[in-house]
Amino acid sequence: MADNANYNEKLPPNTESYWTNTIHLPEYPCLEDNMQVDVAIVGGGITGITSAYLLVNEGLKVAIIEADKLLNGTTGHTTAKITAQHDLIYEELIRYAGKDTARLYYEANTDALKFIQETVNKHQIDCDFTHQDAYVYTTTEEYARKLEKEAKAYEELHIEGKLVNKLPFDLEIYNALVMKNQAQFHPLKYLAHLTKIITEKGGYIFENTTAVNIETGEHPTVLTRGGARITAKYVLSCSHFPFYEGAGLYSTRMHADRSYIIAAKVKTAYPGGMYISADEPKRSLRYATINGEEMILISGESHKTGQGGETLKHYEALEAFGQQVFGIENIIYRWSAQDLTTLDKIPYIGEITSGQKNILIATGYRKWGMTNGTAAALLFRDTILGKKSKYQELYSPSRFNLNPSLKNFLTQNANVVSHLIKGKLEIPQNDIHNLSPDEGAVININGQRKGAYRDKEGTLHIVDTTCTHMGCEVAWNDGERSWDCPCHGSRFSYTGEVLEGPAEKPLQKYDYKMIDNLTSEDSGY
């Protein structure tokens, strides 16, 4: 494979998500005046939009506020598989939570799939919805045994599926477990149609409106960075990471993972179906029709945010896999995604903390947000309407399954402490004057750790590398040109602005002109 410099030169023209690049969404205003509604929804992804759609259909007054542009977050960067086959999950759920819980998880995600299909049919939404069989496969003997256990779990839970020993393309495997009749779609075409219905029925949508806190009480009030306030009977926190944690301490109960996607035109015809490897490194496949041509979305290379090393190597690895199995003619798009995983792999959906029944949260989808996000919206609707849901206890944010939650809690927080200490002790060796255009690095300026990026025009952008969330030291992400925190997954642009939480404040910026004019002797290198 080519080295990073050469790979950078041959990057596809579209380094944003295919989904966001191929649909024009209307622009919505920023919230400027105080308002009162029945339900205030923070976050304009699949959970927030589906929740608003459901609630306006019940006659409620609803407002969505989105910190950035609608559907520009995790929902806009998904692989958009609609399936209850979430890697290997059911044998593990049976083992630590019991058959009833495992079955409920399957039913909740299957109900979500059915809801999406029914909504597509009801409104005749042109969103490339197609039924596909889903496969989880392995290329190692170790995971072959795990797949056999997962197949037995399917039997116990009465899930339709079976083991097979080959795939319909040229990849040697030990075995694969298939779940029939799952689906895929273009998520933004689907959700754009729902936003139209929301506004037609009197719902409000605001963009570039950042929620910063909640005043609790009988009628909680969402406070925004611009000063406007929304008072409601219920507040739904549907942002990627909860903008308001209450007493939930969600940053200690989840970890952030990044993964990578390329959209490629290939030489070998794709046989249909959706595929994911059980073993590492992750490899996930599905097709999409782009400009009338069938392309393959190849994704994987998952790692904890800020802990993945040189980002471009992950794209190179996906390209090498695609080349080996299908023969790549051209890469049209490439992008990355981030999602959160809870201690027991089941999302947190429901009351943010006990005693605050009118503030609800949805987070921790573990990269399966199309079904889990829809399941969250359906649960929110039932809660607000006073209906009992059989899924309430399953997703309850206050749950704590001793095994595996305690073990994972200790492991994750030990990892945080390790990276916190490592970052403070690390002495950067990079020299600011050696940075080429479009290159970033951690540097040493007068004994202080700083982050530097020289843009394509040669201008330097200098930031403090201390994350504004809990003080860990961020790392440079060369693929996305961002500063990523290895502790809790916060991400910042090269100018220091927050891209993803839990951090709320930007990195401190420094005057690049003054620093760039320093000589090596002046700066003490």
Side-chain angles (χ1 to χ4, degrees), residues 451-502:
Y453 170 70
R454 192 184 297 275
D455 65 26
K456 294 178 180 179
E457 286 70 43
T459 302
L460 271 171
H461 304 269
I462 311 293
V463 297
D464 193 307
T465 58
T466 302
C467 179
T468 57
H469 175 231
M470 291 185 69
C472 291
E473 298 299 320
V474 298
W476 177 244
N477 177 335
D478 58 352
E480 277 68 51
R481 298 170 180 82
S482 63
W483 296 103
D484 298 356
C485 178
C487 292
H488 298 108
S490 296
R491 297 182 60 242
F492 305 85
S493 69
Y494 61 77
T495 57
E497 301 305 314
V498 177
L499 297 175
E500 300 196 55

Side-chain angles (χ1 to χ4, degrees), residues 86 173 176 190 206 216 222 250 283 365 375 407 434 439 502 523 525:
H86 295 173
I173 64 168
Y190 167 75
F206 300 98
T216 60
V222 178
Y250 291 95
R283 297 290 180 261
Y365 294 158
K407 176 184 176 182
N434 292 335
E439 184 180 4
S523 57
Y525 294 148

Side-chain angles (χ1 to χ4, degrees), residues 39 41 46-48 50-55 58 60 104-105 107-109 111-112 115 234-238 346-352 357-363 365 370-399:
V39 184
I41 299 173
I46 189 167
T47 308
T50 307
S51 297
Y53 165 78
L54 289 166
L55 294 170
E58 298 292 340
L60 297 179
L104 280 173
Y105 185 81
E107 290 178 0
N109 285 279
D111 286 352
F115 172 82
Y234 284 89
V235 173
L236 307 184
S237 175
C238 303
I346 299 174
Y348 298 134
I349 304 169
E351 296 173 15
I352 192 164
K357 297 185 180 297
N358 50 11
I359 303 174
L360 307 178
I361 189 174
T363 188
Y365 294 158
M370 298 299 96
T371 52
N372 274 318
T374 302
L378 292 166
L379 179 53
F380 285 161
R381 178 196 60 185
D382 290 347
T383 301
I384 291 169
L385 296 180
K387 297 179 180 179
K388 288 212 69 168
S389 169
K390 64 181 180 179
Y391 304 126
Q392 186 172 344
E393 187 175 341
L394 167 73
Y395 287 119
S396 172
S398 62
R399 72 183 185 274

Side-chain angles (χ1 to χ4, degrees), residues 8 38 67 75 77 169 179 210 234 277 279 310 338 347 433 446-447 455 465 502:
N8 225 341
D38 294 315
T75 298
H77 293 79
F169 50 84
M179 185 181 287
T210 303
Y234 284 89
S277 64
D279 37 8
E310 295 182 33
Q338 180 160 312
H433 296 93
N446 292 329
D455 65 26
T465 58

Side-chain angles (χ1 to χ4, degrees), residues 240-242 254-256 338-342 363-367:
H240 177 228
F241 188 94
M254 297 188 291
H255 73 267
Q338 180 160 312
D339 211 348
L340 298 160
T341 299
T342 68
T363 188
Y365 294 158
R366 199 173 64 96
K367 302 174 185 173

Side-chain angles (χ1 to χ4, degrees), residues 187-215:
L188 270 59
K189 288 181 179 179
Y190 167 75
L191 292 166
H193 195 97
L194 297 194
T195 62
K196 182 180 178 183
I197 296 171
I198 291 165
T199 54
E200 286 175 350
K201 294 200 171 187
Y204 298 91
I205 299 175
F206 300 98
E207 294 179 324
N208 300 306
T209 303
T210 303
V212 294
N213 207 349
I214 296 178
E215 289 182 356

Side-chain angles (χ1 to χ4, degrees), residues 39 93 122 281 307 392 425-426 496 503:
V39 184
L93 288 179
K122 177 180 178 180
Q307 301 182 28
Q392 186 172 344
L425 296 178
E426 185 179 62

